[in-house]
Amino acid sequence: MQDIYPSRQSHQAEMLPRLDPVVHSDWTRDAPITQDQAAMFDRDGYLVLDDLFSEEEVTFLQREAGKLLADPDALEAETVISEPGGREIRSIFRIHAQSRVIARLAADARLANVARFLLGDDVYIHQSRLNYKPGFQGKEFYWHSDFETWHVEDGMPRMRALSMSVLLAENTPNNGPLMLIPGSHRTFLTCVGETPEDHYRMSLKRQEYGVPDEDSLAELADRHGIVAPTGKPGAVVIFDCNVMHGSNGNITPFPRANAFMVYNAVSNRLVAPFGVDKPRPDFIAARGEAEPVEPQAGALMKGVLA
């Protein structure tokens, strides 16, 4: 397959044009988001949906996240990632396959139908995780485009994927919220440096390859600015696979926790990686016959507590 987004192949970073749509469906009155919301996602590469879940549902999700974080030994060992240089949990991957509650969340029609609309296809879960940025100890996530890594190390062919971050704790301007460069999703910024073997073992804690150079980042930020969407528990931040994003460390006493799902179009299933010999393991990037999500309506507790 032709590599239309080559990266980590040159000693000089390049800004290449995006060759894929952002919104893959035409808006109609029965779309799961408004016309203005679809236009905002197309323009800025992200969208915030407030109050998507009830207080009861949020409490249900928070309780499940607490259980998962309290008993990491009950989870698949390789999916539990600690903070660099510490024992605090940074992320739990493949969480939808280890928790019935998160599996139900990933399939919830309020999320899945939006993903299906924006991507113009049936979708499957490319990656899921619980991100936890503890008070005082939570480290930063450096600036990056998810698609650059998913393309080079996983073999995602085109920009037809998106992420949804369901806030499980209040994200304030102070506790390391997600930061994005709106509009950056229309530029593919290539990275320099050859990827080490089994790079994921290091990058899940601190990424040093597949990160943009500072001059290009400064140019994108100067051109588009930086935003940091905040919100109460139950809000959802949706962002395109190629939007440049990152987050600061959390030195406040207030932890930040998010349930995170990546939806990929079924027509955009992974192929051989474009920049490494060996793909990352399935707990980071679902390969093979990943099952399309069947959207489920109703309260999150429905069917899970039965």
Side-chain angles (χ1 to χ4, degrees), residues 261-284:
M261 272 77 63
V262 178
Y263 296 90
N264 189 26
V266 166
S267 58
N268 197 40
R269 290 186 188 277
L270 305 186
V271 296
F274 289 89
V276 296
D277 294 329
K278 184 171 68 173
R280 298 192 298 175
D282 281 5
F283 79 87
I284 305 173

Side-chain angles (χ1 to χ4, degrees), residues 3 18 29 38 110 134 158 163 227 265 267 284:
D3 185 357
R18 183 189 183 112
R29 291 185 182 277
R110 287 164 287 187
R158 308 296 292 250
S163 298
V227 297
S267 58
I284 305 173

Side-chain angles (χ1 to χ4, degrees), residues 245-263:
H245 63 286
S247 65
N248 289 321
N250 182 17
I251 60 172
T252 76
F254 310 112
R256 192 203 79 172
N258 304 325
F260 198 90
M261 272 77 63
V262 178
Y263 296 90

Side-chain angles (χ1 to χ4, degrees), residues 1 20-21 24 115-116 118-125 155-161 263-271 274 288-293:
M1 182 178 290
D20 294 298
H24 294 258
R116 283 154 56 104
L118 291 173
L119 300 178
D121 199 354
D122 287 335
V123 297
Y124 71 94
I125 301 298
M156 183 176 288
R158 308 296 292 250
M159 294 181 185
R160 202 168 182 175
Y263 296 90
N264 189 26
V266 166
S267 58
N268 197 40
R269 290 186 188 277
L270 305 186
V271 296
F274 289 89
E289 297 299 319
E291 288 294 321
V293 171

